[in-house]
Amino acid sequence: MKNITDSFLCLGYWPSAGSFGFNTDILATNPINLSVVLGVLVFFGKGVLSDLLDNRKHKILRTIRNSEELREGAIEQLEKAQARLRKVETEADRFRVNGYSEIEREKLNLINSIYTTLEQLENYKNEAINFEQQRVINQVRQRVLQQALQGALGTLKSCLNNELHLRTVSANIGMFGTMKEKITD
């Protein structure tokens, strides 16, 4: 060991034991100074450092817990939103299907109603045509009958004299009498 201390002595100046002074040997003093500084820092800074680390640890844990709670809340809200979305999509599909079937039903009802109305209009048209035909036929009959009567009256007036008139009346009375007898028998 003497060699080690001798080597330190050769490298620089070592003050004697009773005096205070500066050691200019950097290689010899640095490890000692560093170990002393580190020892003082560890001894005095240990509590402060552990408190800082504990506070930081608690903040991190609190942040993690808050993040977990927020994540759970977000997951819960997401699940609720997805359930609502599925419900709304189901209702929308149901409304869409019901709407399409309702539209088809209304379309068929409208078509059937139009066909019924057209049939009724066709029937009314045919009745109106038949009525007009009958009215025109009756008017024509009345005119023909009037003309025939006027023609017959004209013929009768021109051809009929008193004697022929009396014979016609007598013949009609005779026919009327025989008909009366048949009816009463």
Side-chain angles (χ1 to χ4, degrees):
M1 284 261 240
K2 192 167 184 170
N3 288 340
I4 294 174
T5 53
D6 287 340
S7 65
F8 281 120
L9 288 175
C10 291
L11 293 175
Y13 170 74
W14 279 89
S16 61
S19 68
F20 179 75
F22 289 106
N23 188 354
T24 59
D25 185 11
I26 294 175
L27 294 177
T29 57
N30 256 350
I32 295 170
N33 288 340
L34 285 176
S35 65
V36 170
V37 169
L38 285 176
V40 169
L41 281 176
V42 167
F43 182 75
F44 290 112
K46 180 179 175 183
V48 173
L49 187 60
S50 68
D51 286 344
L52 287 173
L53 290 175
D54 284 344
N55 285 341
R56 181 69 179 148
K57 178 182 169 184
H58 290 302
K59 284 182 183 179
I60 290 171
L61 289 175
R62 202 172 330 127
T63 304
I64 290 173
R65 267 189 254 117
N66 288 343
S67 297
E68 285 294 321
E69 290 173 2
L70 290 174
R71 186 178 75 73
E72 290 172 3
I75 289 172
E76 185 177 319
Q77 288 178 350
L78 177 64
E79 289 172 353
K80 286 179 182 178
Q82 287 174 339
R84 281 194 307 252
L85 177 64
R86 283 190 297 272
K87 182 180 176 184
V88 167
E89 285 176 343
T90 304
E91 287 181 19
D93 288 340
R94 185 172 47 89
F95 285 139
R96 191 177 307 120
V97 168
N98 288 343
Y100 288 144
S101 63
E102 183 71 23
I103 288 170
E104 287 298 319
R105 209 173 22 252
E106 288 297 322
K107 184 172 110 178
L108 289 176
N109 288 342
L110 182 62
I111 289 170
N112 290 337
S113 172
I114 289 172
Y115 280 134
T116 304
T117 305
L118 286 175
E119 287 176 1
Q120 288 175 349
L121 288 174
E122 186 69 25
N123 290 339
Y124 292 151
K125 179 189 82 168
N126 290 337
E127 287 177 9
I129 288 172
N130 288 337
F131 176 76
E132 282 298 315
Q133 284 177 343
Q134 289 300 322
R135 189 178 66 78
V136 169
I137 289 172
N138 286 337
Q139 284 178 351
V140 169
R141 282 182 184 166
Q142 285 177 354
R143 283 192 181 162
V144 168
L145 183 61
Q146 281 178 349
Q147 288 176 356
L149 284 175
Q150 286 175 355
L153 281 176
T155 305
L156 282 176
K157 282 183 182 179
S158 65
C159 298
L160 192 61
N161 56 20
N162 282 339
E163 183 187 332
L164 186 58
H165 183 64
L166 287 177
R167 263 192 303 171
T168 305
V169 170
S170 297
N172 284 336
I173 291 174
M175 283 187 341
F176 181 68
T178 55
M179 284 175 54
K180 187 176 176 185
E181 288 176 9
K182 286 182 182 177
I183 291 175
T184 53
D185 290 341

